[in-house]
Amino acid sequence: MKSMEPKHLALFGLVIALYLGTGFLQSWNTMLSIFNMGLISCIMALGVNMQWGYAGLFNVGVMGFVALGGLAGVLVAMDPVEGAWGTDGALRILLALILGAATILGAILVWSKLPKGKLRGLAVTTILVAGFFIFRAVFDGGVAVVEAIDPALTGNIGGLGLPVILAWPVGGLFAAGAAWIIGKTALGLRSDYLAIATLGIAEIIISVMKNEDWLARGVKNVTGVPRPVPYEVDLQQAEWFLSLATRIGADPVTFSSIFVKLSYASLFIVVLLALIWLTEKALNSPWGRMMRAIRDNEVSASAMGKNVKARHLQIFILGSAVCGLAGAMMTTLDGQLVPGTYQPLRFTFLIWVMVIVGGSGNNWGAVLGGFLIYWLWIQVEPLGLMLMQGITAGMSEGNALREHLIDSAAYMRLMTMGLILLLVLRFSPRGLIPER
Amino acid sequence: MDILNALVALLNFVIIPATAYGAQLALGALGVTLIYGILRFSNFAHGDTMAFGAMATILVTWWLQGMGVSLGPLPTALLALPIGILATGLLVIGTDKLVYKFYRQQKAKPVIFVIASLGVMFVMNGIVRFIIGVDDQRFADGERFIISARNFREMTGLDEGLAFRTSQGLTIVIAVIAVALLFWFLNKTRTGKSMRAFSDNEDLALLSGINPERVVLVTWLIVAALATTAGVLYGLDKSFKPFTYFQLLLPIFAAAIVGGLGNPLGAILGGFLIAYSEITITYAFRKVVGYLGPEDWSPDGLLQLLSTDYKFAVSFGILLIVLLFKPTGIMKGKSV
């Protein structure tokens, strides 16, 4: 922070003013909701900034990594479902997944060991086809058993019943695993190809989460993910809390909700500060300088003996893991996993707007962009509605155009985000806080 | 054994839908590949350009329908299509002047263009949703079927019906016309030849006195025409919903890359390859195999390799295989 210019501090001041203004003019509850999601957005932006800002990797599959992190929240924190973990249920599914992985590994092994020719192609195809049918035979039976268990309430394998905080690093690991697979195949190809590959994998992760009911109930959603902080209703009954509320003269119900949000915020702030510290250390270390050298000129970096491909894979995994961590935190904050809400515009491209606007290559920029853009994303909707009401004030009640304009105000936010991205890219391509 | 019925079922559920879908994908992929060849970036706003074109056409269609104009058995949307193309052409040329031209003059890296196209995608997405909303819109009218399942059964006396929808027939016919026009233009006209020259070697093209801005302008116009046509045909065949068009981006890109980015012939091949694989792999073959087996027998399972929800996984899988083994695509494309 010490090396920051006054102009940049002023920008942070502006963002703080925006949040405080929301608190004073709207409500502190609203402000804290935006702030909490803002913190999570900052973490996602930090992850993308590592990939794009440090290394120039163009990842448009952020949504997939975030969703995998969210899945970790369910798989770690929910209680195991009674009866699902028998040998004909979850264990059978597990066996099927292991068989599936073994098939792919076997195919890769055969491919690399056998000499080039018709035999190799035939062998690999046979392994893959046979493996697929064996996988389906084992898998389908297990799924049928698990999904039959009380489908209205569960019908999935549940989780491990561990504290939800543990899900955060696990979410990071899930995302890192997926990133390893994608990185192994798509890194080293052209930047556009990585973009398409990540875009695709993100869609596939979401469709798996929507359709595999045994995993996390699919579109039936998982609700009631345990919290790391107390529940409002419990607070409202607790002696110490009520006396605290009377001491500061607040309404216990409102105060309990604010208290819970503040507890979340403090947990998230700890994570964010730790990440900023780590990323700043990394960026200013020899490793960070090497990354930027690779980004700026791959050929010369490789001539200096740097292993470009391995470094790219490394930072791609790290950045994706940070996104997964943020995803797990988001599930924790929401207390539920709703696969249908994962939209690429919201969870991939909005994060990109944050990074570009904040300043790619600068961690503080990513943080500023995260807070600023998320605030705008939420507030453009009421502002757009006000604007539309202003424009249509002269029209008569029930006028079709007026109704249409007011109904459509919600889509103003997409246009606004696009315009902000285009304007920043054109007139301030290095972002609000440029790389040093 | 009942080969005829099996064949009809296969035609009805796999071959006809896949051909129509393939034609739509091919038109979309041609747009992506042309932009890649001439402007040298992957246009992420292409799905939304298609949505905009379809939306403009739908609005004109509704207006025409309101005026009582119709094409008889053909959908009114065909009359509206030229106006939709015009509107989309104006939009993309405006976008080029406001956004991409600047980066062209700066000689910015391709990835900057891609990021700019993300911004354009947001804006177009917003415009479409702002004007027409996010809901499904149906705008098909006229005769619904060329051959309906019942007529086919009566005509042939087979158990299995064969439905051939007007939208499917139109898609195939229009796609063939559009592709023929495009190739005639690229190979026979002076402007088309200059476009190909520009795509092959920019410096050499500039030296020979080709005006780059004119090439770019013509490219955008062609892309607008292709995207609008693809969008309208897809909307007629299925239905118009802005979000589906955004999702089409993946199979379209897959088609363009599989065929070889920058290669128009490859884009068409890629479109059909993706469409056929997507539908074959997600179709439940129970009925077809049932006809082929002994009488009164039908297989136990659905015989479906993957659930239809995973159709994106199919295009992605093909894309991955091509990227791993032949990164320039089946027909040699560009590699920057």
Side-chain angles (χ1 to χ4, degrees):
Chain A
M1 204 81 186
K2 57 181 182 291
S3 56
M4 224 188 273
E5 288 170 34
K7 195 178 97 190
H8 302 150
L9 282 176
L11 283 169
F12 270 101
L14 172 80
V15 170
I16 293 171
L18 286 177
Y19 277 84
L20 288 180
T22 311
F24 281 114
L25 293 175
Q26 285 176 294
S27 80
W28 291 101
N29 240 326
T30 315
M31 175 271 189
L32 280 173
S33 308
I34 303 178
F35 180 66
N36 277 338
M37 267 313 289
L39 283 165
I40 292 176
S41 304
C42 287
I43 295 177
M44 295 179 192
L46 276 175
V48 173
N49 184 40
M50 287 168 80
Q51 295 174 338
W52 169 244
Y54 297 10
L57 299 178
F58 193 60
N59 169 12
V60 282
V62 184
M63 169 182 77
F65 299 115
V66 169
L68 274 180
L71 181 65
V74 169
L75 291 184
V76 168
M78 293 302 281
D79 285 327
V81 170
E82 198 116 350
W85 280 90
T87 42
D88 54 351
L91 292 178
R92 185 167 167 178
I93 295 178
L94 211 62
L95 176 71
L97 293 178
I98 293 171
L99 284 173
T103 306
I104 294 173
L105 278 180
I108 295 174
L109 205 69
V110 168
W111 182 266
S112 57
K113 288 280 183 273
L114 283 185
K116 211 170 170 176
K118 272 201 180 130
L119 179 69
R120 180 168 80 166
L122 199 68
V124 169
T125 318
T126 319
I127 292 178
L128 285 177
V129 171
F132 178 77
F133 284 106
I134 296 173
F135 164 77
R136 280 293 295 263
V138 179
F139 182 75
D140 289 358
V143 168
V145 169
V146 171
E147 288 182 358
I149 305 168
D150 199 4
L153 277 178
T154 52
N156 68 333
I157 54 172
L160 299 173
L162 297 170
V164 72
I165 300 270
L166 271 180
W168 299 1
V170 174
L173 281 179
F174 276 21
W180 181 77
I181 297 176
I182 304 165
K184 269 285 178 194
T185 44
L187 281 176
L189 293 169
R190 293 205 338 256
S191 59
D192 310 50
Y193 286 180
L194 179 66
I196 310 289
T198 46
L199 187 77
I201 203 86
E203 286 294 338
I204 290 172
I205 290 173
I206 300 300
S207 57
V208 168
M209 281 173 59
K210 275 185 182 164
N211 295 303
E212 299 301 317
D213 285 7
W214 59 271
L215 188 63
R217 304 195 72 222
V219 283
K220 290 185 285 180
N221 308 335
V222 173
T223 50
V225 178
R227 282 180 173 185
V229 299
Y231 284 87
E232 286 88 345
V233 271
D234 295 338
L235 280 178
Q236 284 158 26
Q237 320 245 296
E239 204 58 48
W240 64 270
F241 182 79
L242 290 174
S243 65
L244 183 69
T246 27
R247 192 151 0 120
I248 60 169
D251 167 40
V253 177
T254 322
F255 184 52
S256 69
S257 148
I258 288 183
F259 183 86
V260 167
K261 291 200 169 93
L262 280 175
S263 321
Y264 272 122
S266 40
L267 284 173
F268 293 168
I269 288 173
V270 171
V271 177
L272 181 63
L273 286 179
L275 274 177
I276 293 178
W277 185 75
L278 284 171
T279 48
E280 278 290 282
K281 277 273 173 217
L283 187 63
N284 296 318
S285 68
W287 179 84
R289 284 194 291 277
M290 170 182 65
M291 280 301 175
R292 280 176 286 167
I294 292 177
R295 176 196 65 191
D296 292 337
N297 194 335
E298 277 183 30
V299 178
S300 65
S302 142
M304 302 285 282
K306 306 296 177 200
N307 186 343
V308 174
K309 212 171 172 185
R311 293 287 83 75
H312 273 171
L313 185 63
Q314 184 183 33
I315 195 117
F316 187 67
I317 291 176
L318 283 175
S320 304
V322 172
C323 293
L325 170 78
M329 289 165 67
M330 198 175 72
T331 307
T332 313
L333 175 67
D334 294 341
Q336 56 183 1
L337 181 70
V338 186
T341 54
Y342 289 100
Q343 298 271 337
L345 283 176
R346 161 71 184 85
F347 286 103
T348 298
F349 298 115
L350 191 67
I351 310 300
W352 268 94
V353 178
M354 291 170 184
V355 174
I356 303 281
V357 169
S360 27
N362 189 317
N363 295 316
W364 290 106
V367 172
L368 179 82
F371 279 123
L372 177 67
I373 296 298
Y374 190 73
W375 185 88
L376 275 173
W377 176 253
I378 296 300
Q379 298 291 14
V380 159
E381 208 173 318
L383 289 177
L385 194 61
M386 269 158 62
L387 178 74
M388 283 303 156
Q389 276 163 345
I391 290 176
T392 57
M395 298 181 195
S396 64
E397 203 66 45
N399 181 321
L401 182 64
R402 178 190 169 141
E403 306 264 293
H404 181 82
L405 283 176
I406 289 181
D407 284 347
S408 307
Y411 308 116
M412 294 270 290
R413 47 155 65 154
L414 293 170
M415 253 181 274
T416 319
M417 290 304 139
L419 283 179
I420 291 175
L421 177 64
L422 288 175
L423 289 174
V424 169
L425 199 64
R426 171 81 178 258
F427 296 107
S428 171
R430 301 179 66 214
L432 294 175
I433 307 184
E435 186 185 358
R436 283 192 300 277
Chain B
M1 281 290 269
D2 191 350
I3 295 177
L4 263 181
N5 270 321
L7 203 64
V8 170
L10 195 69
L11 261 175
N12 190 24
F13 293 106
V14 179
I15 295 178
I16 293 179
T19 310
Y21 181 46
Q24 290 147 12
L25 283 187
L27 288 178
L30 272 174
V32 166
T33 236
L34 276 181
I35 296 186
Y36 192 85
I38 306 286
L39 291 127
R40 296 183 166 74
F41 73 98
S42 307
N43 182 12
F44 272 72
H46 198 75
D48 289 296
T49 313
M50 280 167 60
F52 182 88
M55 179 199 73
T57 312
I58 289 174
L59 293 179
V60 178
T61 308
W62 283 346
W63 178 74
L64 286 173
Q65 284 169 348
M67 304 270 288
V69 180
S70 94
L71 269 183
L74 295 174
T76 319
L78 285 186
L79 266 184
L81 185 62
I83 307 176
I85 291 177
L86 201 68
T88 316
L90 289 177
L91 178 82
V92 291
I93 287 171
T95 315
D96 184 72
K97 292 267 177 282
L98 283 173
V99 182
Y100 300 120
K101 192 176 177 189
F102 172 78
Y103 300 106
R104 237 184 352 261
Q105 285 163 349
Q106 300 265 305
K107 299 219 178 301
K109 279 190 288 187
V111 71
I112 301 296
F113 281 92
V114 176
I115 295 178
S117 83
L118 291 184
V120 172
M121 176 189 83
F122 260 111
V123 175
M124 284 190 182
N125 217 302
I127 293 176
V128 171
R129 286 169 202 221
F130 190 82
I131 296 180
I132 207 166
V134 288
D135 300 324
D136 258 329
Q137 311 285 355
R138 298 206 56 98
F139 59 103
D141 54 3
E143 201 65 53
R144 227 171 106 64
F145 291 103
I146 297 176
I147 309 170
S148 79
R150 221 183 64 202
N151 285 348
F152 182 82
R153 271 197 293 264
E154 282 167 4
M155 242 155 52
T156 56
L158 289 172
D159 295 338
E160 194 58 42
L162 176 83
F164 190 40
R165 291 209 307 273
T166 318
S167 57
Q168 292 167 330
L170 265 183
T171 300
I172 297 166
V173 172
I174 293 182
V176 169
I177 297 175
V179 168
L181 274 177
L182 178 71
F183 279 86
W184 169 80
F185 179 80
L186 286 180
N187 291 317
K188 299 283 178 215
T189 64
R190 212 181 149 73
T191 321
K193 283 180 190 164
S194 65
M195 270 173 71
R196 285 194 301 142
F198 189 83
S199 160
D200 280 346
N201 189 333
E202 191 178 338
D203 296 329
L204 208 60
L206 291 179
L207 276 176
S208 350
I210 289 173
N211 177 0
E213 286 306 311
R214 195 177 126 81
V215 168
V216 167
L217 189 82
V218 174
T219 308
W220 278 118
L221 277 176
I222 297 175
V223 166
L226 287 169
T228 310
T229 313
V232 170
L233 291 176
Y234 188 85
L236 279 175
D237 197 18
K238 277 110 185 173
S239 76
F240 175 81
K241 194 175 183 201
F243 187 65
T244 355
Y245 281 72
F246 173 77
Q247 284 188 318
L248 271 182
L249 204 57
L250 189 64
I252 284 179
F253 265 116
I257 293 180
V258 166
L261 262 181
N263 183 329
L265 215 57
I268 297 169
L269 191 73
F272 282 103
L273 186 72
I274 297 281
Y276 276 105
S277 338
E278 215 172 75
I279 293 188
T280 317
I281 292 180
T282 57
Y283 174 66
F285 278 94
R286 180 185 185 153
K287 211 174 195 175
V288 176
V289 175
Y291 279 125
L292 288 179
E295 205 125 326
D296 296 327
W297 170 87
S298 125
D300 293 330
L302 281 172
L303 299 185
Q304 185 181 22
L305 289 173
L306 273 180
S307 116
T308 38
D309 304 301
Y310 290 130
K311 55 177 198 242
F312 289 123
V314 177
S315 29
F316 185 73
I318 298 173
L319 177 66
L320 214 59
I321 294 170
V322 170
L323 284 189
L324 283 175
F325 297 110
K326 213 166 181 316
T328 47
I330 300 173
M331 318 216 25
K332 201 164 163 45
K334 289 175 177 306
S335 193
V336 175

